[in-house]
């Protein structure tokens, strides 16, 4: 790898682009596309994808701790000095402060602090710098940040911060900068660049991500990047997405339900025509693998659900009708999308959630508010939830794997992992009704316990682990949407797991919606 020394830029767009293009050409010639978070293709996964709400208004300066007020005010004002040297000095100091505060925000003490803390200071500085980047005269700041991101003599943390600022400003030079850094040898910077690509839908960035997964089809890190890109920002560039079809065909017949589930999630990023091609050409091999016991029934069910959602037709899970239909679509004899049929109703239902899998974990609200009466009948919310749970299990049939976790102020496994039979259904009713609803609504405790037990049980018996969670809650949870988004982005989150969420009543459901939408599941609101 060349050790490039960058001269001071003249801060014109031409000079910045010239340096970026030269770096890109050198990087592409001398650095292979490595596994994210590794050197040369083998290594640990990168860290969680960052989530900071873009809709949150910038804090007023006076809201920040007093010790920061005067210093930050002076440095922010320095961004508008007549002297370029003065502006650069202020930007450099702000960048250092922002990077330091971001590091402090990751510590335990910061999470226990009341009122504005390090994360707020960093966020405030970020908003002020991005404002300068977006001004017509802010080209000098872009040039300075590009220099910092590429300068191997700068602190690594500050280089990552500079890179993120250019990207978040959506400046036209940002995409080129990402391409340069993604092909360089600094692990932390390369990871930051790849993560930023997953947050910025652009054709050339999509192509880089899809090529990465196509060349590293077994890499969890590349799968996670592309899955996040699709889940957060919608369809991929069509040419980039087309590269993934061979990889997705391999993934969807994996005996690991998590990998197969990821394939269907990533396929949502293909064009409608390409997605249908992938689903129809895969359904026969998946059905065969399901019959052989190597692929979960849920994967076949999800393919049928996706085809029904795209085409508007209900033709079950037999591959032959779908294959015949697709041949007629390709011949121009039928439309791809008609949507003239209602979604079929399932005889198996839990508050509107049909049969989603034969390996299910139920996470049920047992808080005090579940004692409220359900409609005009004699049941409470909790009793109605138990009634529908028992009926659901009874219709799922023997052999279905399930467990039940109850949460209130804390969480408890009420029914450990087991298979449905004649006796277990009645036992579930007795065990669940022994407990009276009480306490708060700590949704996070219930979900975390369910995830922990699912992981533990999978190590004991792989065939028993749940590939779908059904979560029921009736009130305002202690956790919000950000908690759910951060959970899904966590490094240890099982990609491919589906959350189907039922919200009883009219309370806000940010966390529940985020869990369902972020994993490709279904969200249902039910009013008594």
């Amino acid at each position: 790898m060349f050790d490039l020394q960058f001269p001071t830029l003249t801060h014109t767009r031409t000079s910045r682009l010239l340096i970026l293009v030269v770096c890109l050409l050198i990087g592409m010639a001398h650095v292979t596309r490595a596994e994210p978070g590794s050197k040369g293709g083998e290594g640990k996964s990168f860290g969680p994808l960052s989530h900071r709400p873009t809709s949150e208004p910038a804090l007023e300066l006076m809201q920040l701790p007093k010790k920061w007020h005067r210093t930050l005010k002076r440095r922010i004002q320095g961004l508008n000095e007549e002297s370029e040297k003065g502006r650069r000095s202020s930007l450099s100091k702000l960048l250092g402060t922002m990077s330091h505060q971001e590091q402090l925000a990751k510590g335990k003490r910061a999470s226990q602090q009341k009122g504005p803390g390090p994360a707020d200071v960093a966020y405030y500085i970020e908003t002020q710098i991005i404002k300068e980047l977006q001004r017509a005269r802010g080209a000098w700041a872009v040039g300075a940040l590009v220099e910092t991101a590429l300068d191997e003599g700068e602190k690594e943390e500050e280089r990552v911060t500079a890179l993120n600022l250019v990207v978040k400003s959506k400046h036209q030079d940002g995409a080129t900068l990402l391409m340069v850094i993604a092909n360089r040898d600094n692990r932390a910077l390369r990871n930051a660049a790849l993560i930023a690509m997953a947050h910025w839908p652009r054709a050339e960035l999509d192509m880089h991500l899809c090529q990465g997964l196509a060349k590293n089809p077994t890499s969890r890190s590349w799968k996670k990047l592309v899955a996040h890109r699709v889940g957060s920002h919608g369809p991929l560039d069509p040419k980039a997405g087309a590269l993934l079809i061979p990889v997705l065909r391999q993934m969807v017949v994996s005996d690991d339900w998590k990998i197969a589930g990821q394939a269907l999630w990533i396929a949502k990023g293909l064009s409608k025509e390409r997605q249908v091609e992938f689903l129809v050409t895969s359904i026969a091999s998946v059905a065969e693998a399901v019959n052989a016991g190597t692929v979960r029934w849920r994967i076949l069910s999800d393919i049928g659900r996706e085809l029904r959602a795209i085409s508007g037709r209900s033709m079950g899970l037999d591959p032959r009708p779908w294959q015949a239909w697709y041949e007629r679509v390709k011949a121009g004899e039928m439309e791809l999308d008609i949507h003239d049929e209602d979604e079929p109703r399932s005889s198996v239902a839990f508050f509107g959630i049909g049969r989603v899998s034969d390996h299910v974990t139920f996470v049920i609200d047992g808080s005090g508010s579940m004692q409220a009466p359900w409609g005009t009948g004699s049941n409470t919310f909790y009793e109605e939830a138990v009634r529908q749970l028992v009926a659901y299990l009874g219709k799922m049939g023997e052999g279905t794997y399930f467990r039940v976790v109850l949460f209130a102020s804390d969480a408890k496994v009420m029914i450990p992992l087991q298979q449905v039979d004649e006796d277990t259904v009645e036992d579930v009713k007795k065990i669940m009704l022994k407990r009276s609803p009480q306490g708060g609504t700590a949704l996070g405790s219930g979900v975390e316990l369910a995830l922990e037990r699912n992981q533990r049980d999978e190590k004991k018996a792989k065939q028993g682990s749940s590939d779908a969670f059904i979560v029921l809650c009736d009130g305002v949870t202690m956790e919000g949407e950000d908690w759910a988004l951060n959970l899904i982005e966590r490094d240890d989150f099982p990609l491919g797991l589906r959350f189907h969420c039922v919200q009883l009543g009219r309370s806000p459901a940010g966390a529940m919606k985020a869990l369902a939408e972020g994993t490709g599941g279904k969200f249902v609101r039910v009013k008594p």
Side-chain angles (χ1 to χ4, degrees), residues 208-510:
H208 188 93
L209 293 175
C210 292
Q211 285 176 341
L213 178 53
K215 292 182 179 181
N216 300 275
T218 60
S219 163
R220 171 183 166 87
S221 298
W222 283 107
K223 289 170 189 170
K224 185 172 183 179
L225 281 167
V226 177
H228 181 84
R229 161 65 185 81
V230 171
S232 297
H233 303 288
L236 295 158
D237 173 75
K239 290 183 179 179
L243 298 177
L244 299 178
I245 292 180
V247 178
L248 297 179
R249 284 178 180 150
Q250 294 176 24
M251 291 172 60
V252 79
V253 291
S254 171
D255 61 358
D256 185 336
W257 61 263
K258 295 184 286 296
I259 294 175
Q262 290 169 43
L264 297 179
W265 181 244
I266 292 172
K268 292 175 180 288
L270 304 178
S271 66
K272 186 180 293 186
E273 292 75 17
R274 288 290 193 179
Q275 187 181 6
V276 169
E277 175 191 345
F278 160 67
L279 294 170
V280 173
T281 55
S282 299
I283 190 170
S285 55
V286 171
E288 183 179 342
V290 169
N291 290 333
T294 57
V295 170
R296 291 285 182 88
W297 176 86
R298 194 211 88 185
I299 304 303
L300 182 61
S301 175
D302 281 357
I303 290 177
R305 185 176 67 165
E306 292 294 336
L307 284 171
R308 185 172 66 243
I310 294 171
S311 69
R313 300 177 183 274
S314 300
M315 293 191 285
L317 301 181
D318 186 336
R320 290 167 295 181
W322 287 113
Q323 291 168 337
W325 162 79
Y326 185 55
E327 289 301 319
R328 296 185 66 183
V329 169
K330 289 193 295 182
E333 299 173 5
M334 297 184 74
E335 295 292 329
L336 180 66
D337 180 356
I338 55 169
H339 279 93
D340 62 355
E341 298 183 19
D342 293 329
E343 183 173 340
R345 293 184 179 273
S346 172
S347 60
V348 181
F350 178 75
F351 292 98
I353 302 294
R355 188 185 183 196
V356 294
S357 176
D358 52 4
H359 294 72
V360 186
T361 289
F362 294 87
V363 184
I364 306 295
D365 185 352
S367 64
S369 58
M370 289 287 284
Q371 296 186 69
W374 178 259
T376 57
S378 59
N379 278 354
T380 63
F381 274 49
Y382 182 72
E383 290 167 342
E384 180 63 18
V386 173
R387 185 188 73 79
Q388 293 210 26
L389 170 63
V390 170
Y392 186 89
L393 291 173
K395 292 181 178 179
M396 283 289 287
E398 294 189 8
T400 296
Y401 284 91
F402 77 102
R403 73 167 62 80
V404 181
V405 173
L406 197 69
F407 68 91
S409 298
D410 53 14
K412 180 180 180 181
V413 176
M414 298 295 289
I415 312 292
L417 179 67
Q418 57 188 275
Q419 288 181 282
V420 172
D421 59 31
E422 292 182 2
D423 296 328
T424 57
V425 174
E426 191 60 33
D427 289 343
V428 167
K429 182 177 180 180
K430 292 178 181 178
I431 293 170
M432 295 296 290
L433 290 179
K434 280 183 179 179
R435 188 191 184 284
S436 298
Q438 58 184 327
T441 312
L443 170 65
S445 296
V447 170
E448 291 283 5
L449 178 59
L451 288 170
E452 183 269 321
R453 288 302 174 91
N454 200 44
Q455 183 181 38
R456 189 187 72 175
D457 290 341
E458 183 173 26
K459 292 178 180 178
K460 294 180 179 179
K462 186 176 181 180
Q463 72 275 13
S465 64
S466 299
D467 51 42
F469 281 18
I470 296 178
V471 185
L472 179 140
C473 183
D474 83 317
V476 179
T477 63
M478 296 178 181
E479 298 77 14
E481 179 182 358
D482 285 353
W483 164 81
L485 293 172
N486 289 328
L487 172 72
I488 295 167
E489 292 172 356
R490 232 168 51 186
D491 223 21
D492 60 348
F493 184 81
L495 299 176
L497 177 65
R498 297 281 187 271
F499 275 83
H500 302 277
C501 298
V502 178
Q503 181 78 19
L504 303 182
R506 298 174 175 81
S507 297

Side-chain angles (χ1 to χ4, degrees), residues 504-518:
L504 303 182
R506 298 174 175 81
S507 297
M512 298 279 279
K513 279 185 177 180
L515 280 176
E517 293 173 0

